[in-house]
Amino acid sequence: MAVTPTVAQGAPGIPARWTSSAKSGVGTALSARSPLWFTISHGILNEIYYPRLDSACTRDMGLMVTGPGGSFSEEKRDTLHVIEPFESGVPAYRLANTAVDGSYRLEKRIVTDTKRPVLLQEITFAALKGSASDYRVYALLAPHLVNAGMGNMAWVGEHKGERILFASGRGVSVALAASLPWGACSAGYVGVSDGWQQLRNGGALDPACQRAGDGNVALTGEIGFSAGTGTALLALGFGAWPEEAAEIALASLEDGFEAAAETYVANWRKFQAGLEKLDRQAASGINSYRVGTAVLASHLSIARPGAAVASLSIPWGFNKGDDDLGGYHLVWPRDLVETAGGFLAAGDARQALEILTYLRSIQQPDGHWPQNCWSSGTPYWPGIQMDECAFPLLLADALRRAGHLPRAKLGEFLSMIESAASYVARNGPVTGEDRWEEDAGYSPFTLAVEIAALLAAADMLDACEKNEPANYLRETADCWNGEIERWTYVTGTELCARERIDGYYVRIAPPDAAGAASPKDGFVPIKNRPPGEGDRPAEAIISPDALALVRFGLRAADDPRILSTVKAIDATLRCALPQGPLWYRYTGDGYGEHEDGWPFDGTGQGRPWPLLTGERAHYELAAGRADKAAELLDTFERSAGVGGLLPEQVWDKPDIAERELRLGAPSGSAMPLVWAHAEHVKLLRSLRDGAVFDLPPQGVERYIKGKTVSPFRIWRFNNKIRSIPAGKVLRVELAARGVVRWSSDKWLTVHDDKTAENAFGVHLVDLAVAGLQAGSTIVFTFFWPEASRWENVDFTVGIDLSDSQ
């Protein structure tokens, strides 16, 4: 008797959630005809992205098994998982999931079809107790179409006489087809009437549940295994409408798994063959280099060549719903430049150049880059991070110095370079946010990137015969370089006394405030902490970020101030773990799980970052300790999860089994973190070359070897310095034409100096105050000719005894 299809009960289902970020595999076809990216954890497929790598369309897709005596088990929870790639550097996977009770084994092979957006999953079921006929195997698919679990529709239907499981939402449809006829199928609402609930509670699917609309939906279908047929092929097709998705899914089934796998593997072999030979077997037996290069390439866009997201994961996804649209599948310009550096270190200059071209396309009209954006270039978060505005300049210069941007090609990027350099020079050195997306002020990391980028831009402008603006960029860089210690180096603190050191660079000093004698005397808000645990003195917060002063060539590795800072970092932020030492981001960091392992939910406690061990290894190499750097490389790699993927953070407390947290193993944060893999690839290259691969040479030549000291100190409205060393010239920089009226004797004598506009639209004038004695005070105000008005505010700058350097 035919069953009349009905709508499942329980709309709209429980609130939608994403899934674990602990990926064990990520992959894509490296084919323009297959805009599909997939992730794996706990032995099953997780998020699958289509048609862009910032558009997640599934939560997960796994199997359920019912057996003798009404037994029920779920693949991701009730089996032991083993995953391995088809071969090193090829992100096609074999999975073996064996029931904890020893009753069955599921073996799977996973690739995407290179001809079309279809994910193929070859599944073999084997009964280890009893016979295969005692068991039934069901596929469970949770669509989360276009970054949302709610508002989707699912139904059981047909296409060309074949039974298909369908889902649609927000202009995307999916169709799940099988090489064996589907048995019982259902469409239901998650947590109420989905197939998991039906099988777990009743042992069978409800044939009346054939449609579920406008909710958090799930599809379930019994795979038609029989005693003689233990292998099935599932094809999950993606399209703009249901018929398209079904058509291509059936076409992939017709072609079969082997044909798709052969081309998929060939694409990846070709990619890997073109790279530098930096292959390395980690302690786990995994070729860590090939895993890393595959991760970098698996996070590249097809629709927008050169775009790459930070991670195909959602940190603590199982605790997040539809309100977290961005996740980590956004483009961060900083992470993207780091990714480009990884490609460049691996010998793929073409891809690094493509990334630079993409960056040029998303640069904002005023010259800056967005904090992050969708792969289309549409900005997401509105912050301004000055390191992200400077990093593309370093990438351009790295390509130029390596011979990949000759003079003619460099000209194509000249407008981008001039605009970015102008933005950095006019709006630095204070950043709106540091590289951790949090605080404004003077950050040693950001300063290092800004100054190195200005010097790099100056060289590129010189190469294009633009010498005057190049000189201005160097003058600005020199001035900022001479202020780093005044802004961020503290002495005489409790930590100094305890560790018997002279001083150290702070994590960040707040922007100048009238009430503080120096920025580093101010307070810094610690984000992600409970109320009342926010502000701390700048001198109380330390970070490994200060090592960027060495990484970007501004300070020598053996500079006494760096050596003291390293001692302070190790005394406060070093974490001894089974794999070796890792470091925390900064004192009091709140971005991580709570003490009881509860996921980060806006507050928490920061955990160690393997990335920082890679950065520390680069510092050790710069200091001439290659053996120490090699040891830290081992630690870096031993922090990887299953499959060799590097996490953002690792757990630093005793095991909490119920939360899957183990000492030294990946936490619930992002995995893989592409930035970490880029750092790993660069470290392999650096160790092979015996020198830091991405160290910009300009600062080394100018400040470490040449000892260049700036004759200037710069005052501007976004950086109102309050003092300058005796003997310095005071340069005043304005956004519009003006006259500086100033005096050094309380207005008894008055000077009027007109500004002149330079190539970057900066109106500047150098005040002749170098001959003033220490203890003098300069007072000045402005007349604005365009508006024919006075500023009506007096500003003062004192003359100090000597330069802080």
Side-chain angles (χ1 to χ4, degrees):
M1 178 179 176
V3 177
T4 302
T6 61
V7 175
Q9 300 300 302
I14 63 174
R17 291 291 181 267
W18 293 98
T19 190
S20 172
S21 60
K23 309 308 179 192
S24 52
V26 295
T28 188
L30 291 183
S31 166
R33 291 189 289 172
S34 182
L36 204 64
W37 296 260
F38 66 91
T39 64
I40 295 170
S41 79
H42 296 78
I44 69 169
L45 288 159
N46 288 169
E47 295 95 350
I48 304 170
Y49 297 81
Y50 166 87
R52 303 184 313 275
L53 77 173
D54 53 18
S55 177
C57 286
T58 67
R59 178 188 191 272
D60 57 18
M61 178 182 172
L63 302 175
M64 302 176 292
V65 179
T66 60
S71 67
F72 169 87
S73 69
E74 186 181 8
E75 183 182 26
K76 69 179 178 182
R77 290 187 174 93
D78 302 318
T79 68
L80 300 175
H81 318 300
V82 176
I83 182 171
E84 62 178 15
F86 281 18
E87 58 188 70
S88 291
V90 177
Y93 300 97
R94 296 185 186 88
L95 283 69
N97 297 325
T98 305
V100 173
D101 65 5
S103 60
Y104 66 85
R105 177 182 295 116
L106 289 160
E107 295 182 352
K108 302 190 286 190
R109 294 195 295 165
I110 297 174
V111 299
T112 55
D113 191 339
T114 59
K115 295 181 180 179
R116 47 186 81 91
V118 177
L119 187 138
L120 293 170
Q121 193 171 190
E122 182 193 73
I123 302 168
T124 300
F125 176 79
L128 303 181
K129 293 180 180 178
S131 66
S133 59
D134 296 331
Y135 300 87
R136 294 180 184 274
V137 181
Y138 300 84
L140 175 64
L141 172 64
H144 274 217
L145 291 163
V146 193
N147 295 328
M150 303 304 292
N152 295 306
M153 176 178 291
W155 69 98
V156 180
E158 288 190 0
H159 183 76
K160 293 186 174 178
E162 298 290 340
R163 208 169 185 203
I164 305 285
L165 305 183
F166 288 101
S168 287
R170 284 162 290 281
V172 171
S173 295
V174 296
L176 181 60
S179 62
L180 301 177
W182 290 112
C185 297
S186 82
Y189 293 101
V190 173
V192 184
S193 57
D194 62 88
W196 190 95
Q197 297 289 334
Q198 295 173 26
L199 293 171
R200 180 69 178 82
N201 298 322
L205 295 181
D206 183 350
C209 293
Q210 299 290 287
R211 178 176 292 271
D214 193 19
N216 182 11
V217 299
L219 288 156
T220 308
E222 181 188 348
I223 301 172
F225 292 123
S226 65
T229 309
T231 299
L233 180 60
L234 300 187
L236 182 63
F238 293 75
W241 54 91
E243 294 79 10
E244 179 188 21
E247 189 72 25
I248 63 173
L250 293 173
S252 284
L253 285 182
E254 181 69 24
D255 287 351
F257 186 88
E258 297 300 339
E262 182 179 354
T263 310
Y264 184 103
V265 170
N267 285 356
W268 279 98
R269 283 177 179 161
K270 181 180 179 181
F271 165 73
Q272 295 286 356
L275 302 180
E276 291 278 334
K277 306 306 179 191
L278 299 173
D279 297 76
R280 170 184 165 82
Q281 184 170 311
S284 63
I286 292 172
N287 188 324
S288 59
Y289 172 61
R290 297 218 171 188
V291 168
T293 52
V295 167
L296 297 188
S298 291
H299 285 74
L300 289 167
S301 172
I302 289 174
R304 289 296 299 270
V309 298
S311 179
L312 289 173
S313 72
I314 301 173
W316 302 285
F318 54 84
N319 200 47
K320 292 185 177 180
D322 291 356
D323 55 344
D324 190 59
L325 286 180
Y328 272 34
H329 37 273
L330 293 163
V331 177
W332 270 263
R334 171 183 45 256
D335 293 51
L336 187 54
V337 171
E338 299 284 9
T339 298
F343 279 114
L344 199 55
D348 192 346
R350 181 198 62 79
Q351 186 59 62
L353 186 57
E354 202 164 72
I355 288 173
L356 184 66
T357 302
Y358 169 78
L359 284 165
R360 179 181 62 186
S361 75
I362 66 167
Q363 186 180 26
Q364 302 301 290
D366 64 357
H368 87 279
W369 275 273
Q371 179 179 359
N372 54 25
C373 62
W374 299 103
S375 59
S376 64
T378 302
Y380 188 64
W381 288 344
I384 298 289
Q385 299 180 2
M386 292 301 296
D387 67 315
E388 292 195 307
C389 302
F391 258 125
L393 293 168
L394 292 176
L395 174 58
D397 191 55
L399 285 162
R400 178 189 68 88
R401 288 184 286 103
H404 306 297
L405 270 186
R407 171 65 182 85
K409 187 74 173 176
L410 184 63
E412 297 177 16
F413 292 90
L414 181 59
S415 177
M416 181 202 87
I417 292 165
E418 289 180 307
S419 183
S422 174
Y423 187 89
V424 172
R426 287 183 289 108
N427 292 279
V430 168
T431 183
E433 292 181 352
D434 63 345
R435 70 165 172 168
W436 305 122
E437 326 280 347
E438 295 179 357
D439 290 316
Y442 297 95
S443 155
F445 183 92
T446 301
L447 287 167
V449 178
E450 289 175 312
I451 294 166
L454 291 179
L455 296 178
D459 279 5
M460 290 186 284
L461 292 181
D462 272 344
C464 296
E465 299 179 355
K466 289 181 172 280
N467 307 117
E468 184 179 342
N471 288 337
Y472 170 73
L473 295 181
R474 291 192 183 97
E475 288 175 347
T476 303
D478 292 348
C479 180
W480 293 355
N481 181 66
E483 295 273 70
I484 290 174
E485 281 68 34
R486 186 178 74 83
W487 289 326
T488 66
Y489 191 80
V490 297
T491 58
T493 68
E494 291 182 11
L495 180 60
C496 291
R498 187 167 68 246
E499 298 301 323
R500 299 181 181 179
I501 55 178
D502 170 71
Y504 50 86
Y505 295 97
V506 298
R507 172 206 166 203
I508 194 167
D512 298 77
S518 169
K520 61 198 178 193
D521 294 331
F523 285 76
V524 173
I526 302 292
K527 303 298 176 66
N528 307 317
R529 301 296 295 175
E533 295 184 22
D535 289 0
R536 295 193 186 185
E539 68 176 32
I541 309 171
I542 300 171
S543 173
D545 286 3
L547 298 184
L549 297 170
V550 177
R551 182 71 171 266
F552 293 97
L554 308 188
R555 299 292 181 269
D558 61 354
D559 185 308
R561 295 163 299 196
I562 294 292
L563 295 176
S564 292
T565 303
V566 168
K567 290 180 180 178
I569 290 168
D570 287 350
T572 57
L573 301 174
R574 186 178 185 273
C575 179
L577 291 167
Q579 63 265 48
L582 270 65
W583 283 264
Y584 298 98
R585 295 195 303 176
Y586 58 82
T587 314
D589 184 11
Y591 182 57
E593 283 91 352
H594 293 265
E595 275 296 292
D596 62 357
W598 182 258
F600 173 77
D601 54 5
T603 65
Q605 181 171 322
R607 307 296 167 183
W609 286 53
L611 164 70
L612 297 176
T613 295
E615 292 186 352
R616 178 58 174 268
H618 270 111
Y619 166 74
E620 296 295 340
L621 183 60
R625 296 184 287 269
D627 55 341
K628 182 64 175 175
E631 290 176 12
L632 290 172
L633 170 62
D634 289 336
T635 298
F636 198 0
E637 292 176 341
R638 285 195 292 265
S639 300
V642 176
L645 302 185
L646 291 168
E648 181 179 65
Q649 302 176 42
V650 302
W651 182 243
D652 56 350
K653 299 295 181 182
D655 297 358
I656 304 179
E658 63 271 24
R659 298 199 186 278
E660 298 187 352
L661 295 171
R662 294 183 297 105
L663 180 65
S667 73
S669 57
M671 187 167 77
L673 184 66
V674 180
W675 181 6
H677 281 283
E679 179 72 4
H680 175 260
V681 170
K682 286 190 279 189
L683 182 55
L684 291 175
R685 177 66 182 268
S686 296
L687 285 167
R688 190 198 72 178
D689 295 352
V692 176
F693 173 73
D694 57 357
L695 173 66
Q698 292 92 346
V700 175
E701 293 298 321
R702 196 167 183 85
Y703 304 131
I704 298 175
K705 295 181 179 178
K707 308 293 184 186
T708 300
V709 175
S710 171
F712 301 103
R713 287 295 180 263
I714 299 172
W715 187 100
R716 49 170 71 153
F717 275 95
N718 66 345
N719 187 33
K720 299 171 185 173
I721 62 173
R722 290 180 295 279
S723 64
I724 64 173
K728 299 291 184 184
V729 173
L730 180 61
R731 172 168 285 182
V732 176
E733 297 188 346
L734 306 174
R737 185 164 66 94
V739 177
V740 182
R741 173 164 288 185
W742 64 279
S743 174
S744 61
D745 55 10
K746 299 181 180 181
W747 298 116
L748 294 176
T749 306
V750 175
H751 309 271
D752 284 341
D753 289 353
K754 296 179 179 179
T755 63
E757 185 177 6
N758 71 6
F760 296 113
V762 176
H763 298 260
L764 60 86
V765 62
D766 294 336
L767 306 186
V769 300
L772 296 178
Q773 297 297 310
S776 302
T777 298
I778 309 159
V779 60
F780 55 96
T781 189
F782 304 102
F783 178 73
W784 306 104
E786 306 297 338
S788 190
R789 68 174 180 85
W790 288 92
E791 183 68 21
N792 287 327
V793 175
D794 286 349
F795 303 93
T796 60
V797 173
I799 307 296
D800 288 342
L801 287 173
S802 61
D803 197 329
S804 60
Q805 288 221 127

